[in-house]
Amino acid sequence: MEVMPKWADVVLIPLISLLLAAILSALVIIGIGEDPIAAVKLMVEGALGSTYGWGYTLYYATNFIFTGLAVSVAFHARLFNIGGEGQAMLGGLGVALVCIYLPWPHWSLALIFASLAGALFGAAWAAIPAYLQARRGSHIVITTIMFNFIAAAVLNYVLVNLMRPKGSMDPASQRFPDAVHLPSFQDMFSTAETALFRGAPVNVTFFVAVLACVAVWLLIWRTRLGYEIRAYGHSETGALYAGISPFRITMIAMLISGGLAGLMAINNVMGEAERLVLNATEGAGFIGIAVALMGRSHPFGVFLAAILFGFLYQGGAELALWTTIPRELIVVIQALVILFTGALDNMVRMPLERLFLWLRKRSG
Amino acid sequence: MDFLTIIQVLDSTIRLATPLLLACLAGLFSERAGIFDIGLEGKMLAAAFFSAAVAAISGSVWLGLLAGIVASLVLAALHGLASITFRGNQLISGVAINFLAAGMTVLIAQDWFKQGGRTPSLLTQGRFGGIELPFAIGPSDAAAYGRPLSELISETNVVQQVYSELISGHSILVYAAFLAVPLTWWILFRTRFGLRLRAVGENPAAVDTAGVSVVGLRYAAVAICGVLCGIAGAYLATALQAGFVKDMTAGRGFIALAALIFAKWRPWHALYACLLFGFLQAVALRYQNIHLGSFVIPVQVMDALPYILTVVILAGFVGKAIPPRAGGEPYVKER
């Protein structure tokens, strides 16, 4: 018997957790001698008050949609993929190789193949931990953490020794050719009189991210494979009994997860930087964890959570610019969100369940 | 490469292995009791900041150490609350703690010192200095002769070089870390507390049936983990380096985790694993790319080697690493 109605589980608990995280964040801001209300105002102004602000908010959100979906798909199979960061780094390598070493007539073709390459590289980086989990029982959390560090070393080596243009001191690849420049929102939505999204990095990949949300929703809730993934996540023994192969599901779920993380690279590498730099991912792989937890692993929830984190990122940058509050405030908020929506879930859930039981007893 | 160079690399191995060893033993206590802890990194980082901050303000390195341990204990208590009391996901809790420490340390550092998220550099009394063992050649001899220490050491015999350079001259925390290894072994394998702690990580229901508190034991293990991480962090900021800088743990918590798996959750093996990984760090620090004839090992390989080795060990190709059976599972009394 369900103790709580579904809406409480899907909406109420995340909202209370979010509220707790917000209250604690406000206390932190007071603690360092700033005014939380003024800070929120500044963040809203900076992140949502202009098309420029929106341009950055949506740019960050695009990254987080990809990594959030990546973590979500793995969560559905009860696999915790902390390796989104490394998979996104490798995805960046795939995207860069396609953009630099192949001649492209048009950006749309380049986008398709860069997406494939990014997803392929990300999936490949997830494949080894997945295989080790499925066949050798090595804990996927530990192996994916290790693969993040290995990915950083690989990328460092490739950028310093192989892809760096001659004579350049900067550990970064050469610039991508102009032909693969993705249209930004500025290119798409500005008219002759009014320039919208001026200078903001948000670009056409935002729509790819939205498509990815829809695709993941279809996959998880409308296909046999998605059903198998969820069944496996709910009960391994039950899935086995139903003839679902744990090896197959583990591999497929992790490949999709890694592929989605790798796809992020079309936004940050191809869309924004237009060259491959060290630490291009900027921790987006880890934010995917918070986004997936807050979005309850549902694509629509992930979309909303990604927008929220995009807002926090852009707002945090504005705060750092105009006040003495460092950008690391966002890391704290991110930690609190992970803590309350993930680890301390029962702290909110247990009293609520008791409340609903009590209400039911009174009415019944 | 002459003998003294090898000794110097080994000396730096010991210095770099110490924080790994302390964090690794911390994880050993926690995971043997069935609480996975990927928050070692965050606890070390918090301890590093608060030890350096308090040492900088008070001028006492011992107060700094205490503050570091307290900070790490607070995070350990949070981990205990999430994973023991509220039976949450231990891995997610660990991730949250890492981010919490990464953010809060910079935030508070900026608020207190306004130096871009770092503490002021610590002076001599704010740091753990090297201890000169008897008959070793140390800074006091160098001062007495009025000559540089390195010259004096390079002129003596081999035994004295090993003794003075490798064994003597470390801070007290280094010796404490190495003594913690037999102590950990003794506690885990020769005391009643240790037996129960290991049992609670393998089969908590059996411990519960015997009338021993599972929750109490697990909290004790998490607290010990907090203390050890606290010392590790304090060592980083007040002995290895002079002050806190942003993200100064630089993945050491994860290398310690790797060492723990490499050691298959055993204290003596933890020492060997940490020395190995410390050695890799020392070599990577001293030489950038290593030239073996025409073959060059890039420095990135040395950086990645601890992680690669751990994956190989985890894969079970070189002896299988089997974690404590109840690890990661919250204990629910009745079913």
Side-chain angles (χ1 to χ4, degrees), chain A residues 250-289:
Chain A
T250 305
M251 287 305 290
I252 292 179
M254 278 304 287
L255 287 176
I256 296 174
S257 177
L260 283 165
L263 261 183
M264 186 193 110
I266 56 172
N267 188 42
N268 67 340
V269 176
M270 192 177 176
E272 200 251 348
E274 304 197 359
R275 59 183 191 144
L276 187 60
V277 296
L278 268 186
N279 191 24
T281 48
E282 293 179 311
F286 297 115
I287 294 156
I289 300 167

Tab-separated table of all heavy atoms in Angstrom, chain A residues 250-289:
chain	number	residue	atom	x	y	z
A	250	THR	N	22.624	-3.581	-17.928
A	250	THR	CA	23.699	-2.757	-17.378
A	250	THR	C	24.490	-2.091	-18.490
A	250	THR	O	24.742	-0.881	-18.463
A	250	THR	CB	24.650	-3.618	-16.515
A	250	THR	OG1	23.872	-4.280	-15.526
A	250	THR	CG2	25.708	-2.771	-15.853
A	251	MET	N	24.844	-2.901	-19.500
A	251	MET	CA	25.624	-2.344	-20.604
A	251	MET	C	24.842	-1.258	-21.345
A	251	MET	O	25.334	-0.150	-21.570
A	251	MET	CB	26.002	-3.448	-21.614
A	251	MET	CG	27.073	-4.408	-21.174
A	251	MET	SD	28.601	-3.614	-20.655
A	251	MET	CE	29.236	-3.002	-22.201
A	252	ILE	N	23.594	-1.570	-21.706
A	252	ILE	CA	22.820	-0.625	-22.518
A	252	ILE	C	22.560	0.666	-21.743
A	252	ILE	O	22.751	1.773	-22.255
A	252	ILE	CB	21.491	-1.267	-22.978
A	252	ILE	CG1	21.786	-2.382	-23.983
A	252	ILE	CG2	20.579	-0.223	-23.609
A	252	ILE	CD1	20.559	-3.093	-24.488
A	253	ALA	N	22.152	0.520	-20.477
A	253	ALA	CA	21.850	1.723	-19.690
A	253	ALA	C	23.086	2.604	-19.555
A	253	ALA	O	23.010	3.833	-19.687
A	253	ALA	CB	21.328	1.330	-18.309
A	254	MET	N	24.234	1.981	-19.324
A	254	MET	CA	25.453	2.781	-19.155
A	254	MET	C	25.915	3.375	-20.481
A	254	MET	O	26.459	4.484	-20.514
A	254	MET	CB	26.568	1.941	-18.527
A	254	MET	CG	26.479	1.841	-17.031
A	254	MET	SD	26.463	3.453	-16.219
A	254	MET	CE	28.165	3.949	-16.413
A	255	LEU	N	25.727	2.639	-21.583
A	255	LEU	CA	26.122	3.182	-22.885
A	255	LEU	C	25.277	4.406	-23.218
A	255	LEU	O	25.789	5.425	-23.683
A	255	LEU	CB	25.984	2.119	-23.979
A	255	LEU	CG	27.052	1.019	-23.957
A	255	LEU	CD1	26.762	-0.025	-25.020
A	255	LEU	CD2	28.436	1.614	-24.177
A	256	ILE	N	23.962	4.297	-22.959
A	256	ILE	CA	23.098	5.449	-23.221
A	256	ILE	C	23.502	6.601	-22.307
A	256	ILE	O	23.610	7.763	-22.733
A	256	ILE	CB	21.620	5.077	-22.994
A	256	ILE	CG1	21.191	4.015	-24.005
A	256	ILE	CG2	20.734	6.306	-23.105
A	256	ILE	CD1	19.801	3.476	-23.768
A	257	SER	N	23.732	6.276	-21.043
A	257	SER	CA	24.123	7.298	-20.072
A	257	SER	C	25.407	8.013	-20.511
A	257	SER	O	25.466	9.244	-20.559
A	257	SER	CB	24.315	6.637	-18.702
A	257	SER	OG	24.742	7.569	-17.774
A	258	GLY	N	26.415	7.218	-20.852
A	258	GLY	CA	27.675	7.810	-21.295
A	258	GLY	C	27.501	8.603	-22.574
A	258	GLY	O	28.092	9.666	-22.755
A	259	GLY	N	26.660	8.087	-23.468
A	259	GLY	CA	26.415	8.779	-24.723
A	259	GLY	C	25.789	10.143	-24.488
A	259	GLY	O	26.180	11.142	-25.105
A	260	LEU	N	24.820	10.204	-23.574
A	260	LEU	CA	24.170	11.484	-23.277
A	260	LEU	C	25.173	12.472	-22.669
A	260	LEU	O	25.191	13.656	-23.011
A	260	LEU	CB	23.002	11.263	-22.314
A	260	LEU	CG	21.735	10.684	-22.946
A	260	LEU	CD1	20.789	10.161	-21.889
A	260	LEU	CD2	21.055	11.743	-23.794
A	261	ALA	N	26.020	11.955	-21.754
A	261	ALA	CA	27.034	12.834	-21.163
A	261	ALA	C	27.982	13.336	-22.253
A	261	ALA	O	28.357	14.515	-22.274
A	261	ALA	CB	27.803	12.104	-20.067
A	262	GLY	N	28.355	12.445	-23.163
A	262	GLY	CA	29.255	12.834	-24.243
A	262	GLY	C	28.627	13.873	-25.160
A	262	GLY	O	29.302	14.761	-25.681
A	263	LEU	N	27.304	13.770	-25.343
A	263	LEU	CA	26.593	14.723	-26.198
A	263	LEU	C	26.741	16.155	-25.714
A	263	LEU	O	26.653	17.097	-26.492
A	263	LEU	CB	25.100	14.367	-26.223
A	263	LEU	CG	24.566	13.585	-27.401
A	263	LEU	CD1	23.059	13.411	-27.259
A	263	LEU	CD2	24.886	14.299	-28.697
A	264	MET	N	26.944	16.311	-24.385
A	264	MET	CA	27.085	17.652	-23.838
A	264	MET	C	28.134	18.455	-24.601
A	264	MET	O	28.039	19.669	-24.726
A	264	MET	CB	27.478	17.553	-22.368
A	264	MET	CG	27.518	18.882	-21.661
A	264	MET	SD	28.329	18.741	-20.077
A	264	MET	CE	29.833	19.630	-20.414
A	265	ALA	N	29.134	17.741	-25.139
A	265	ALA	CA	30.260	18.430	-25.769
A	265	ALA	C	29.841	19.269	-26.973
A	265	ALA	O	30.505	20.248	-27.305
A	265	ALA	CB	31.325	17.422	-26.178
A	266	ILE	N	28.726	18.909	-27.635
A	266	ILE	CA	28.341	19.736	-28.782
A	266	ILE	C	27.941	21.135	-28.306
A	266	ILE	O	28.005	22.096	-29.056
A	266	ILE	CB	27.209	19.118	-29.631
A	266	ILE	CG1	25.996	18.818	-28.774
A	266	ILE	CG2	27.685	17.899	-30.384
A	266	ILE	CD1	24.791	18.390	-29.574
A	267	ASN	N	27.528	21.238	-27.045
A	267	ASN	CA	27.171	22.561	-26.537
A	267	ASN	C	28.409	23.350	-26.098
A	267	ASN	O	28.658	24.445	-26.568
A	267	ASN	CB	26.199	22.420	-25.369
A	267	ASN	CG	25.646	23.764	-24.938
A	267	ASN	OD1	25.314	24.593	-25.767
A	267	ASN	ND2	25.570	23.971	-23.632
A	268	ASN	N	29.203	22.739	-25.197
A	268	ASN	CA	30.287	23.539	-24.612
A	268	ASN	C	31.518	23.614	-25.513
A	268	ASN	O	32.215	24.618	-25.531
A	268	ASN	CB	30.658	23.018	-23.219
A	268	ASN	CG	31.274	21.649	-23.247
A	268	ASN	OD1	31.121	20.910	-24.214
A	268	ASN	ND2	31.988	21.295	-22.212
A	269	VAL	N	31.802	22.535	-26.263
A	269	VAL	CA	33.007	22.535	-27.097
A	269	VAL	C	32.727	23.138	-28.479
A	269	VAL	O	33.377	24.073	-28.913
A	269	VAL	CB	33.578	21.103	-27.240
A	269	VAL	CG1	34.758	21.095	-28.191
A	269	VAL	CG2	33.996	20.578	-25.875
A	270	MET	N	31.687	22.602	-29.132
A	270	MET	CA	31.401	23.039	-30.500
A	270	MET	C	30.624	24.358	-30.501
A	270	MET	O	30.883	25.247	-31.312
A	270	MET	CB	30.585	21.958	-31.198
A	270	MET	CG	30.439	22.125	-32.686
A	270	MET	SD	29.527	20.702	-33.332
A	270	MET	CE	29.379	21.174	-35.037
A	271	GLY	N	29.670	24.501	-29.562
A	271	GLY	CA	28.813	25.676	-29.566
A	271	GLY	C	29.458	26.893	-28.943
A	271	GLY	O	29.316	28.009	-29.434
A	272	GLU	N	30.192	26.691	-27.831
A	272	GLU	CA	30.688	27.853	-27.111
A	272	GLU	C	32.160	28.141	-27.394
A	272	GLU	O	32.506	29.143	-28.007
A	272	GLU	CB	30.468	27.682	-25.601
A	272	GLU	CG	30.498	28.987	-24.836
A	272	GLU	CD	31.738	29.136	-23.991
A	272	GLU	OE1	32.469	28.143	-23.814
A	272	GLU	OE2	31.999	30.246	-23.521
A	273	ALA	N	33.053	27.221	-26.950
A	273	ALA	CA	34.486	27.504	-27.035
A	273	ALA	C	34.996	27.453	-28.475
A	273	ALA	O	35.918	28.161	-28.836
A	273	ALA	CB	35.266	26.517	-26.167
A	274	GLU	N	34.395	26.583	-29.295
A	274	GLU	CA	34.816	26.327	-30.671
A	274	GLU	C	36.273	25.905	-30.768
A	274	GLU	O	36.972	26.153	-31.739
A	274	GLU	CB	34.529	27.537	-31.578
A	274	GLU	CG	33.068	27.923	-31.512
A	274	GLU	CD	32.613	28.818	-32.659
A	274	GLU	OE1	33.439	29.166	-33.502
A	274	GLU	OE2	31.422	29.151	-32.700
A	275	ARG	N	36.748	25.299	-29.701
A	275	ARG	CA	38.031	24.588	-29.679
A	275	ARG	C	38.016	23.752	-28.421
A	275	ARG	O	37.176	23.968	-27.539
A	275	ARG	CB	39.220	25.564	-29.665
A	275	ARG	CG	39.178	26.483	-28.455
A	275	ARG	CD	40.302	27.488	-28.502
A	275	ARG	NE	40.374	28.172	-27.207
A	275	ARG	CZ	41.501	28.562	-26.633
A	275	ARG	NH1	42.657	28.310	-27.211
A	275	ARG	NH2	41.485	29.186	-25.493
A	276	LEU	N	38.912	22.785	-28.326
A	276	LEU	CA	38.913	21.929	-27.146
A	276	LEU	C	39.930	22.471	-26.140
A	276	LEU	O	41.106	22.630	-26.460
A	276	LEU	CB	39.264	20.486	-27.531
A	276	LEU	CG	39.132	19.462	-26.409
A	276	LEU	CD1	37.711	19.403	-25.888
A	276	LEU	CD2	39.561	18.088	-26.892
A	277	VAL	N	39.464	22.787	-24.941
A	277	VAL	CA	40.371	23.291	-23.911
A	277	VAL	C	40.409	22.307	-22.752
A	277	VAL	O	39.554	21.426	-22.644
A	277	VAL	CB	39.920	24.673	-23.392
A	277	VAL	CG1	39.978	25.703	-24.494
A	277	VAL	CG2	38.524	24.607	-22.816
A	278	LEU	N	41.391	22.466	-21.872
A	278	LEU	CA	41.443	21.665	-20.653
A	278	LEU	C	40.252	22.039	-19.782
A	278	LEU	O	39.832	23.193	-19.730
A	278	LEU	CB	42.737	21.962	-19.892
A	278	LEU	CG	43.944	21.083	-20.174
A	278	LEU	CD1	45.054	21.452	-19.230
A	278	LEU	CD2	43.609	19.610	-20.041
A	279	ASN	N	39.709	21.065	-19.064
A	279	ASN	CA	38.594	21.308	-18.155
A	279	ASN	C	37.444	22.049	-18.828
A	279	ASN	O	36.872	22.980	-18.288
A	279	ASN	CB	39.067	22.101	-16.931
A	279	ASN	CG	38.001	22.135	-15.841
A	279	ASN	OD1	37.151	21.248	-15.805
A	279	ASN	ND2	38.030	23.137	-14.999
A	280	ALA	N	37.108	21.595	-20.048
A	280	ALA	CA	36.012	22.227	-20.760
A	280	ALA	C	34.683	21.964	-20.066
A	280	ALA	O	33.737	22.738	-20.216
A	280	ALA	CB	35.960	21.699	-22.199
A	281	THR	N	34.609	20.868	-19.305
A	281	THR	CA	33.321	20.477	-18.720
A	281	THR	C	32.960	21.310	-17.496
A	281	THR	O	31.784	21.435	-17.167
A	281	THR	CB	33.352	19.001	-18.315
A	281	THR	OG1	34.548	18.778	-17.578
A	281	THR	CG2	33.329	18.102	-19.519
A	282	GLU	N	33.933	21.870	-16.823
A	282	GLU	CA	33.699	22.743	-15.666
A	282	GLU	C	32.743	22.146	-14.638
A	282	GLU	O	31.900	22.843	-14.079
A	282	GLU	CB	33.152	24.101	-16.121
A	282	GLU	CG	34.162	24.895	-16.914
A	282	GLU	CD	33.600	26.234	-17.375
A	282	GLU	OE1	32.492	26.239	-17.934
A	282	GLU	OE2	34.269	27.254	-17.157
A	283	GLY	N	32.865	20.854	-14.393
A	283	GLY	CA	32.064	20.237	-13.333
A	283	GLY	C	30.621	19.951	-13.705
A	283	GLY	O	29.846	19.517	-12.851
A	284	ALA	N	30.243	20.163	-14.973
A	284	ALA	CA	28.849	19.939	-15.360
A	284	ALA	C	28.445	18.479	-15.160
A	284	ALA	O	27.278	18.192	-14.871
A	284	ALA	CB	28.635	20.353	-16.811
A	285	GLY	N	29.401	17.578	-15.297
A	285	GLY	CA	29.086	16.160	-15.099
A	285	GLY	C	28.591	15.890	-13.691
A	285	GLY	O	27.709	15.058	-13.478
A	286	PHE	N	29.150	16.611	-12.715
A	286	PHE	CA	28.735	16.402	-11.333
A	286	PHE	C	27.404	17.087	-11.046
A	286	PHE	O	26.610	16.604	-10.247
A	286	PHE	CB	29.805	16.903	-10.370
A	286	PHE	CG	31.091	16.155	-10.488
A	286	PHE	CD1	32.241	16.775	-10.931
A	286	PHE	CD2	31.144	14.808	-10.178
A	286	PHE	CE1	33.419	16.070	-11.067
A	286	PHE	CE2	32.316	14.096	-10.302
A	286	PHE	CZ	33.463	14.732	-10.757
A	287	ILE	N	27.188	18.231	-11.705
A	287	ILE	CA	25.914	18.914	-11.482
A	287	ILE	C	24.775	18.035	-11.992
A	287	ILE	O	23.661	18.082	-11.461
A	287	ILE	CB	25.942	20.293	-12.159
A	287	ILE	CG1	26.976	21.147	-11.461
A	287	ILE	CG2	24.594	20.972	-12.091
A	287	ILE	CD1	27.506	22.251	-12.301
A	288	GLY	N	25.080	17.208	-13.000
A	288	GLY	CA	24.084	16.263	-13.486
A	288	GLY	C	23.505	15.411	-12.370
A	288	GLY	O	22.327	15.054	-12.396
A	289	ILE	N	24.328	15.094	-11.370
A	289	ILE	CA	23.842	14.290	-10.242
A	289	ILE	C	22.754	15.051	-9.501
A	289	ILE	O	21.665	14.528	-9.238
A	289	ILE	CB	24.998	13.950	-9.282
A	289	ILE	CG1	26.073	13.150	-10.018
A	289	ILE	CG2	24.482	13.171	-8.086
A	289	ILE	CD1	27.366	13.038	-9.248
